Amino acid sequence: MFSRYRYTWNMHLDTPLKNLPRVTSRYAKVLEKLELFTVRDLLFHLPFRYDDFRRTVALSEDCLDQNVTVEGRITRAKNVRTWKKRLTITEVFVEDENGNQLKAVWFNQLYILDSLRVGTIVRLSGKLSLDDTVFSMNNPAWERAARDATNTGRLVPIYPETKGLTSKWLRWQIKTLLELAQDMPDVLSDEIREKFHLYDIFTALTQLHFPESREKLLRSQKRMAFQEMFLVQMQTQKIKKTWSGKKSLPIAFDEKLIQGFVKKMPFTLTDAQRKATFEILKDLEKPKPMNRLLNGDVGSGKTVVAAAAALQAISAGHQVAIMAPTEVLAKQHFESFCELFKDYNINIALLTNSYKSIRHPEDGAQSDEESASGNLKPNYNKALDKHKADSSFRKSGTQNDVRKELLKKISLGEINLIIGTHALIQKDVTFKNLALVIIDEQHRFGVAQRAALQQETADINDGDKKSIPHLLTMTATPIPRTLSIAFFGSLDLSILDEMPKNRKPIITTVVAPDEQEKIYEFIRSEIKKGPASTRGDDRSSTRGGRQAFVILPLVEESLSESMVDVKAATQEHARLSEFVFPEFKLGLLHGRLKPKEKESVMHKFKDKEFDILVSTSVVEVGVDIPNATVMIIENAERFGLSQLHQFRGRVGRSDLQSYCFLFSQTKSVRLRALEKTNDGFVIAEADLKLRGPGQFFGLVQSGLPDITMENLTNVKLIKFAREEAAAILSDDPQLKKHPVIQDALQKFSDKIHLE
Ligand code: ADP
Ligand code: MG
């Protein structure tokens, strides 16, 4: 199939792409942006879908509106300029074996004409249509019929779209380079491949780029998924091994202390909270590091559990760090922990990039940057209010001084509990005796980044490499069991699958377009009702009635907001303000607002300056708004169940009855699952079955290819991969006998980046 001593004669898998004669420096730059540096990288740049142009047909009306391939001789070819639209149209007529004519049309690609000379026999692939009475194709893929089928007449690979890089160009490159994979060392041994009927790597890559059939394609995808899973398992097991070989400070479980703390709570713990607390405190007693994930739905009460662990570590004389993904969340934790520990002699500091604050219980004061330069607030509650009202400190001379002062206090061990964003463990912060790190919403740091994060956590104690901190991670995304098996092999798991008893389940209803008016009426009556009762941790204002959220989906599915989305949100905000709720005040939150503006909108909502908050779906509201009891989610059919469940978790944060209305354009049976249950774990499992695992956590950004993600629900495959990985590691823990796996693991973890 391949002839050597041609283009690739002096190349190998590690040849830099920029050295290839066919890769100009412009292309090399684009490839670099995609992190494709070597031939090997390019060969692993896999298509994300395929156009099926396998049906070669004679022109016929039966094939209209179908993807087909037509072969024929060019009878006419010309470029036509339409000055009005500033377009150049290339028109080529092709005659098939029966003498029927096909008109192929391309826009603004005049150079095509150079290759499409009259008399040439070509293959054209695309959707067949009729232009008047003439068969036609717009922008078909084409190549000379004498050529090997690469872009037409087959399953044609489509690569993820990138500016400056077409799929056609990639096919051309990859096709010639593929032969270099013939000698590629295989991560999966002959033995494993035989056992599970898996293709070797060369066959798999060849079939993935240029599949001969659907079946061969699927087999290749399965092989790659197995390999990825194998590497994930290898990595998590290695981490677990290394982790358990390290030392941590054992922290004795002081039952009296913990019971005293729990008694102070204005509620009794759920059984799940008790069990999780116990599991964590037991872990802390060991001289090896805890590495545990606390998984519980929004509102399941993870904070108290974490606080019990923190209290235990601090009482034993150690420092504790709590890390949150955003400043808003960090601040919220700071407030919660100040409240939770108000009766204890614990110094708490908030450390984020824009704000630093310290609370000293001994003099009953909380100081912020001003006060750190000698201006102590008379009491902590007032300071908290100030903190809330003016949480946007700018960088200034004093701020740097405060930072220095704070860092000094941390390094001297004068601060017991440090709360912040992940700047906390990456910057110039040194701890005196950090014994426990708690990471909230860890999924927001990305799943695969976990490994890197753990490494960081392991290295942060001030030069004392003898012991590393215990690690507790928390996530509010209920993780289906199969996924946790696949991904969290290196972690112990505590699950809060029980909601506090006082919680009323959120009443959820799917609403058809003609019922929306009724719901608006209902919301009016809710907003006019009395406010939520004030709970211990609820310092929100109590003026006026209840509040509502309106959540809008993005206009087009993407990860960030475009101006189109902002416009749509602005219009919906205007429509609701003017025509639906003219008697109320409506706020607007979207992703294009500056962080400070976002925060200001949220705080205004919290302070009840708005009755209704209209928000795009990508904005994290962050702050708790217990008084918000109603939520509308527009075009709910566009979201996954888990995502909808996460949204509705923003209401139902008090003992008041809350409501969630799923406005839907379609009669979606899927959405009804949310009417039936409030159990996030049940919903997560359902969602996993319906839409696959991609939407859980930051899997999309984890660097794992789509095909692996699709196979993540394949429990058997995961189980096999895990067993094989375990067998190899137990025989050869350092992978000395398996350099290929060692190498692949290295590359695998190199793919993983911290945000
Ligand atoms: P999350 O798991 O989302 O972090 P929180 O820890 O913030 O949840 O708890 C949500 C609210 O529930 C808080 O106001 C907390 O005080 C309260 N809470 C926690 N545990 C219980 C319980 N067992 N009974 C009643 N309320 C509880
Ligand atoms: Mg929380």
Side-chain angles (χ1 to χ4, degrees):
M1 169 177 185
F2 301 116
S3 60
R4 291 218 160 222
Y5 310 107
R6 280 177 47 196
Y7 181 61
T8 56
W9 70 274
N10 62 349
M11 295 175 194
H12 49 84
L13 291 169
D14 293 313
T15 303
L17 291 170
K18 62 175 194 285
N19 293 0
L20 305 190
R22 286 179 187 174
V23 177
T24 62
S25 64
R26 186 176 73 81
Y27 277 107
K29 277 207 190 88
V30 182
L31 292 165
E32 236 161 74
K33 268 205 191 116
L34 291 173
E35 309 211 356
L36 304 175
F37 303 102
T38 64
V39 169
R40 181 196 320 269
D41 295 341
L42 191 61
L43 295 184
F44 277 102
H45 185 61
L46 299 178
F48 79 110
R49 67 176 183 85
Y50 302 83
D51 276 338
D52 190 348
F53 290 136
R54 283 177 298 175
R55 273 182 65 212
T56 299
V57 297
L59 289 164
S60 130
E61 298 204 351
D62 297 343
C63 301
L64 285 177
D65 283 330
Q66 295 170 26
N67 277 334
V68 291
T69 298
V70 173
E71 232 179 80
R73 204 173 57 88
I74 297 177
T75 53
R76 262 189 291 160
K78 62 173 179 196
N79 278 338
V80 188
R81 268 160 222 265
T82 61
W83 290 111
K84 225 171 166 184
K85 289 185 186 162
R86 295 174 178 245
L87 271 180
T88 303
I89 300 175
T90 306
E91 267 184 17
V92 170
F93 282 84
V94 171
E95 190 179 277
D96 77 354
E97 53 186 8
N98 302 332
N100 290 322
Q101 296 281 323
L102 171 70
K103 183 170 108 182
V105 178
W106 291 270
F107 303 97
N108 279 346
Q109 300 186 42
L110 42 166
Y111 61 88
I112 273 188
L113 205 63
D114 300 340
S115 321
L116 297 173
R117 293 281 157 79
V118 171
T120 313
I121 312 234
V122 289
R123 239 187 340 257
L124 298 168
S125 289
K127 188 177 271 176
L128 192 65
S129 53
L130 266 187
D131 185 358
D132 262 339
T133 56
V134 186
F135 288 112
S136 75
M137 278 186 189
N138 276 348
N139 281 317
W142 63 274
E143 61 201 341
R144 278 180 216 167
R147 288 263 179 95
D148 215 24
T150 304
N151 303 299
T152 64
R154 59 170 308 128
L155 283 169
V156 179
I158 311 291
Y159 297 90
E161 197 173 314
T162 312
K163 219 173 165 192
L165 208 58
T166 62
S167 283
K168 192 167 183 176
W169 188 87
L170 284 166
R171 280 174 220 136
W172 178 55
Q173 293 294 333
I174 291 170
K175 194 148 193 177
T176 39
L177 295 172
L178 255 175
E179 63 177 336
L180 292 169
Q182 265 167 333
D183 311 321
M184 190 183 283
D186 205 321
V187 172
L188 304 177
S189 65
D190 297 354
E191 208 184 322
I192 293 182
R193 290 200 322 265
E194 266 163 43
K195 200 160 152 189
F196 301 110
H197 314 288
L198 301 169
Y199 279 150
D200 62 82
I201 187 65
F202 173 63
T203 310
L205 283 177
T206 308
Q207 293 300 323
L208 282 165
H209 287 293
F210 299 102
E212 285 163 21
S213 69
R214 284 267 174 214
E215 193 218 325
K216 288 184 178 175
L217 175 60
L218 282 174
R219 283 189 64 177
S220 307
Q221 291 178 331
K222 186 179 149 202
R223 186 227 128 97
M224 297 313 283
F226 189 94
Q227 169 168 333
E228 296 277 349
M229 266 348 285
F230 175 75
L231 291 175
V232 169
Q233 294 300 325
M234 208 60 155
Q235 198 179 32
T236 53
Q237 288 179 30
K238 271 191 82 172
I239 291 170
K240 190 164 189 168
K241 273 220 165 83
T242 329
W243 202 247
S244 68
K246 298 206 166 162
K247 286 198 177 62
S248 279
L249 296 166
I251 302 166
F253 181 178
D254 180 348
E255 254 187 271
K256 242 173 145 181
L257 173 80
I258 299 301
Q259 265 168 12
F261 173 67
V262 168
K263 274 216 190 91
K264 281 181 201 290
M265 296 298 115
F267 45 74
T268 50
L269 294 192
T270 63
D271 288 345
Q273 281 173 313
R274 257 174 230 290
K275 183 162 173 254
T277 309
F278 188 74
E279 286 166 344
I280 292 165
L281 293 172
K282 277 289 168 196
D283 277 359
L284 292 180
E285 284 197 311
K286 294 176 190 147
K288 58 171 195 155
M290 165 170 77
N291 192 5
R292 186 171 281 279
L293 174 65
L294 179 59
N295 187 197
D297 220 334
V298 176
S300 60
K302 294 183 290 295
T303 316
V304 204
V305 177
L311 179 63
Q312 183 66 82
I314 292 166
S315 299
H318 307 297
Q319 286 175 307
V320 174
I322 300 180
M323 198 162 77
T326 64
E327 297 200 1
V328 179
L329 278 170
K331 271 180 215 166
Q332 199 165 302
H333 274 310
F334 179 71
E335 293 180 21
S336 307
F337 278 86
C338 285
E339 179 67 26
L340 282 163
F341 291 159
K342 63 173 186 279
D343 299 338
Y344 295 85
N345 188 21
I346 293 174
N347 288 335
I348 308 175
L350 174 65
L351 184 62
T352 67
N353 285 331
S354 70
Y355 188 77
K356 284 99 204 150
S357 193
I358 316 176
R359 179 214 166 212
H360 297 286
E362 60 273 30
D363 52 25
Q366 178 193 340
S367 57
D368 51 32
E369 57 186 345
E370 276 170 74
S371 46
S373 45
N375 205 357
L376 285 174
K377 291 280 167 290
N379 72 52
Y380 135 73
N381 268 327
K382 263 201 191 143
L384 252 187
D385 285 346
K386 168 165 178 23
H387 168 186
K388 280 203 296 184
D390 181 11
S391 55
S392 50
F393 286 94
R394 279 132 262 114
K395 277 220 184 306
S396 66
T398 29
Q399 168 132 12
N400 278 331
D401 294 346
V402 174
R403 186 181 168 81
K404 263 198 207 131
E405 179 79 20
L406 191 52
L407 293 183
K408 198 171 135 207
K409 283 184 180 221
I410 293 172
S411 69
L412 291 174
E414 286 171 25
I415 311 254
N416 314 104
L417 176 58
I418 304 96
I419 301 175
T421 51
H422 64 317
L424 204 73
I425 60 161
Q426 289 181 326
K427 295 262 167 74
D428 43 346
V429 191
T430 49
F431 299 88
K432 179 147 187 288
N433 53 359
L434 186 64
L436 170 64
V437 171
I438 299 171
I439 301 174
D440 194 15
E441 304 290 345
Q442 66 82 29
H443 67 283
R444 295 270 299 276
F445 297 98
V447 169
Q449 285 112 330
R450 151 184 313 286
L453 206 53
Q454 280 176 324
Q455 200 46 53
E456 306 246 1
T457 335
D459 292 341
I460 43 180
N461 246 353
D462 57 330
D464 178 13
K465 290 288 186 308
K466 284 194 296 291
S467 74
I468 66 171
H470 292 284
L471 177 62
L472 175 66
T473 48
M474 307 198 279
T475 176
T477 310
I479 304 166
R481 247 192 84 70
T482 41
L483 277 194
S484 53
I485 295 172
F487 268 107
F488 300 100
S490 63
L491 293 174
D492 296 310
L493 213 60
S494 289
I495 296 177
L496 298 185
D497 51 3
E498 184 188 356
M499 280 292 180
K501 299 229 162 33
N502 63 347
R503 226 43 71 69
K504 287 196 180 73
I506 300 159
I507 296 178
T508 303
T509 315
V510 181
V511 179
D514 60 347
E515 299 168 320
Q516 289 177 2
E517 193 43 50
K518 246 177 21 205
I519 302 303
Y520 290 142
E521 193 48 50
F522 173 79
I523 292 176
R524 261 172 227 126
S525 70
E526 281 294 298
I527 294 179
K528 284 173 188 156
K529 263 189 195 166
S533 66
T534 310
R535 281 202 324 268
D537 66 336
D538 171 20
R539 280 180 295 271
S540 75
S541 149
T542 51
R543 279 174 286 131
R546 297 193 196 150
Q547 292 163 280
F549 286 104
V550 178
I551 309 284
L552 311 174
L554 295 186
V555 176
E556 275 162 32
E557 212 167 312
S558 72
L559 285 175
S560 62
E561 265 168 66
S562 64
M563 287 318 289
V564 184
D565 296 305
V566 174
K567 200 169 155 221
T570 311
Q571 278 171 355
E572 182 62 1
H573 174 261
R575 183 187 77 89
L576 291 169
S577 308
E578 274 176 55
F579 304 111
V580 185
F581 299 116
E583 68 269 54
F584 299 130
K585 290 209 176 92
L586 280 75
L588 174 62
L589 195 60
H590 61 72
R592 289 292 175 107
L593 293 176
K594 295 196 186 85
K596 267 181 201 156
E597 295 169 334
K598 275 187 218 165
E599 205 159 305
S600 150
V601 173
M602 287 179 217
H603 281 292
K604 277 186 183 162
F605 189 48
K606 181 158 184 157
D607 293 341
K608 300 215 54 192
E609 283 180 44
F610 301 126
D611 303 293
I612 299 173
L613 184 66
V614 180
S615 165
T616 54
S617 55
V618 291
V619 185
E620 200 82 24
V621 169
V623 273
D624 231 346
I625 320 245
N627 191 49
T629 59
V630 190
M631 171 173 286
I632 290 176
I633 303 176
E634 296 194 6
N635 296 95
E637 70 278 359
R638 297 229 198 132
F639 295 104
L641 297 181
S642 292
Q643 224 179 337
L644 291 169
H645 178 69
Q646 291 280 318
F647 291 145
R648 79 175 161 180
R650 288 181 203 166
V651 295
R653 298 232 174 166
S654 67
D655 48 6
L656 289 168
Q657 182 59 59
S658 290
Y659 303 87
C660 176
F661 299 105
L662 305 173
F663 281 17
S664 174
Q665 301 298 318
T666 58
K667 273 203 181 123
S668 170
V669 184
R670 193 172 62 93
L671 296 180
R672 304 242 172 237
L674 290 161
E675 292 181 342
K676 290 189 201 113
T677 180
N678 270 279
D679 185 332
F681 285 92
V682 173
I683 290 162
E685 289 286 354
D687 214 15
L688 182 63
K689 284 209 187 80
L690 285 165
R691 309 215 320 169
Q695 60 200 298
F696 289 96
F697 350 90
L699 272 184
V700 194
Q701 318 139 25
S702 71
L704 292 178
D706 294 351
I707 47 166
T708 310
M709 308 234 287
E710 277 162 32
N711 274 285
L712 279 182
T713 45
N714 189 337
V715 186
K716 242 168 52 193
L717 197 75
I718 292 164
K719 199 171 142 266
F720 288 149
R722 187 161 54 157
E723 284 166 6
E724 293 303 325
I728 290 171
L729 276 177
S730 81
D731 173 58
D732 179 18
Q734 301 305 318
L735 295 175
K736 290 211 171 78
K737 290 185 258 170
H738 296 86
V740 181
I741 299 178
Q742 176 79 288
D743 197 44
L745 262 186
Q746 186 57 46
K747 295 209 168 74
F748 188 73
S749 47
D750 285 350
K751 273 201 297 200
I752 292 160
H753 307 286
L754 260 182
E755 274 159 4

